[in-house]
Amino acid sequence: MFDVRRFVENSLEEIKTVVGEKRVISACSGGVDSTVATFLVHKAVGKNLMAVFIDDGLRREGEPEFVMKTLRSLGIKARLVDAKNEFFNVFKGKTDAEEKRKAFRDIFYKAFGKVCKEEKIEFVTQGTIKADIIETVKGIKSQHNVLEQIGINPKSYGYKILEPLRELFKPDVRKVARELGLPKEISERMPFPGPALSLRVLGEVTPDKISIVRKATEIVEEETKGLGAFQSFAVLHNDMATGIKNGKRVYGNIVTVRIVDSEDALTARARHVSYEILMRISERITREIPSVVRCLYDITDKPPATIEFE
Ligand code: XMP
């Protein structure tokens, strides 16, 4: 049985011992994992922590504002770094899923490394959890934040890594969030991948494609709010399909909707969603996003599929 109180006590003690009076920076995306890791370190070292939200241009609607507001309301010093151009530049011409993940990881650490130098810090906190490590080490995917475990030396990026949640699975991270008194919007938040919407644009990632999938994601999230699914989201395909808009035959985008139940993200089941919900989503996506002509629902479990498409 996971003893959450003990975990928090031990973590605070360990962080204090390891960090001492040195300065720490935390890469916080606003997800459960990175926010819990950030808050734990904040509790341990107080003003010596600075949280950084890298705006990579790949986040959901309203996300940068939400994250900054949340961090500040928790009393955490926070800085937003606009790196949208750098991220979109690095994706140019890249269509392979693993190549895109690696590009994301590299540009993420470059952008972040730059902030670390400016802030003259020594430690970096991130919200890596056990499932991230297991799947990256197994070679299922290159999780953007797993470095040491696959033999990449963080020192080559210029700092030491602190990963207080590396032994936990998601349900225990949520318990820690509740124990720490974090708001429900954080502790019960749907998982969202670090590389964000870049995993949900199949093929090359461009600002236009991101804005399509961002809008589709907003619609799916609104329409599935009450379902309590583990994750629900939209994916933009690379292929096009024929459709009819305003009485004219057009060649347009295809969006897939994915709604899954899971405990720890290692396996997942596609949700048997009511047809009314699916129809409402399809109707809204094809009406509110002019370029989309087709909306599909993914009925594949994990395995054999993964939760994300890339
Ligand atoms: P897959 O697609 O591998 O996803 O079944 C399992 C869980 O992990 C999330 N995911 C990621 N999270 N960085 C993250 O922080 C990543 O690179 C990444 N890839 C997948 C995914 O959303 C799901 O919850």
Side-chain angles (χ1 to χ4, degrees):
M1 240 324 245
F2 175 60
D3 184 341
V4 63
R5 195 158 291 172
R6 199 152 165 190
F7 172 85
V8 170
E9 277 169 17
N10 290 348
S11 299
L12 293 178
E13 209 47 51
E14 193 186 321
I15 296 164
K16 278 183 202 153
T17 312
V18 171
V19 173
E21 291 303 310
K22 305 224 168 68
R23 299 187 64 210
V24 189
I25 206 164
S26 169
C28 189
S29 68
V32 190
D33 306 341
S34 66
T35 310
V36 171
T38 303
F39 194 60
L40 255 182
V41 177
H42 166 74
K43 274 189 83 106
V45 308
K47 63 178 178 3
N48 281 339
L49 171 80
M50 148 86 77
V52 171
F53 174 82
I54 307 251
D55 188 359
D56 47 23
L58 307 167
R59 303 287 128 186
R60 284 173 292 184
E61 189 62 39
E63 195 68 4
E65 298 77 10
F66 169 79
V67 178
M68 294 305 287
K69 200 175 105 208
T70 305
L71 289 170
R72 287 179 179 149
S73 73
L74 293 170
I76 299 171
K77 235 189 323 175
R79 179 175 158 191
L80 180 143
V81 174
D82 183 350
K84 294 195 223 31
N85 290 340
E86 285 98 306
F87 277 81
F88 283 121
N89 270 337
V90 90
F91 282 125
K92 271 188 196 146
K94 296 203 172 59
T95 52
D96 174 75
E98 272 297 284
E99 199 189 4
K100 283 163 61 184
R101 279 175 173 279
K102 286 182 180 140
F104 179 91
R105 180 169 69 192
D106 219 43
I107 191 68
F108 177 84
Y109 279 100
K110 272 199 191 118
F112 192 48
K114 210 168 114 192
V115 188
C116 294
K117 286 215 178 75
E118 285 166 15
E119 297 288 339
K120 297 194 177 56
I121 58 91
E122 267 189 57
F123 286 92
V124 166
T125 291
Q126 47 183 27
T128 315
I129 65 170
K130 196 153 194 159
D132 303 340
I133 298 173
I134 293 174
E135 297 212 322
T136 299
V137 174
K138 273 204 232 151
I140 294 174
K141 62 183 174 190
S142 297
Q143 184 91 8
H144 79 284
N145 52 355
V146 178
L147 297 167
E148 276 175 294
Q149 293 82 356
I150 53 167
I152 295 177
N153 180 1
K155 280 199 190 121
S156 65
Y157 289 101
Y159 39 73
K160 297 174 204 147
I161 305 272
L162 212 59
E163 291 174 329
L165 310 178
R166 66 191 173 275
E167 296 298 332
L168 306 190
F169 283 107
K170 189 74 91 189
D172 290 340
V173 178
R174 293 196 195 282
K175 285 183 197 149
V176 175
R178 292 177 205 126
E179 174 70 21
L180 291 171
L182 287 171
K184 267 208 166 90
E185 286 156 297
I186 294 293
S187 65
E188 314 311 316
R189 220 168 187 215
M190 194 186 285
F192 187 71
L197 299 175
S198 76
L199 300 183
R200 298 176 180 174
V201 165
L202 306 189
E204 188 181 5
V205 174
T206 64
D208 283 351
K209 288 182 180 174
I210 288 291
S211 75
I212 295 173
V213 85
R214 177 180 288 129
K215 180 69 198 165
T217 302
E218 193 183 6
I219 295 170
V220 173
E221 288 190 358
E222 277 172 18
E223 297 298 336
T224 57
K225 217 181 267 160
L227 292 182
F230 182 76
Q231 270 175 291
S232 58
F233 57 90
V235 176
L236 177 66
H237 289 246
N238 200 14
D239 304 340
M240 309 282 274
T242 302
I244 303 166
K245 285 261 165 136
N246 305 319
K248 283 205 189 85
R249 195 181 167 88
V250 289
Y251 206 45
N253 291 123
I254 309 170
V255 164
T256 284
V257 175
R258 184 136 173 85
I259 306 172
V260 296
D261 291 318
S262 176
E263 291 288 317
D264 53 15
L266 294 176
T267 60
R269 290 164 310 281
R271 174 67 81 94
H272 291 222
V273 190
S274 85
Y275 215 74
E276 285 94 80
I277 293 179
L278 293 177
M279 287 308 290
R280 202 158 49 235
I281 292 174
S282 167
E283 195 270 322
R284 278 194 63 191
I285 286 180
T286 51
R287 178 167 42 85
E288 294 178 32
I289 312 175
S291 69
V292 180
V293 293
R294 233 164 253 258
C295 184
L296 316 177
Y297 185 59
D298 184 353
I299 55 171
T300 331
D301 291 342
K302 173 182 179 177
T306 51
I307 294 178
E308 304 291 342
F309 272 45
E310 294 216 317

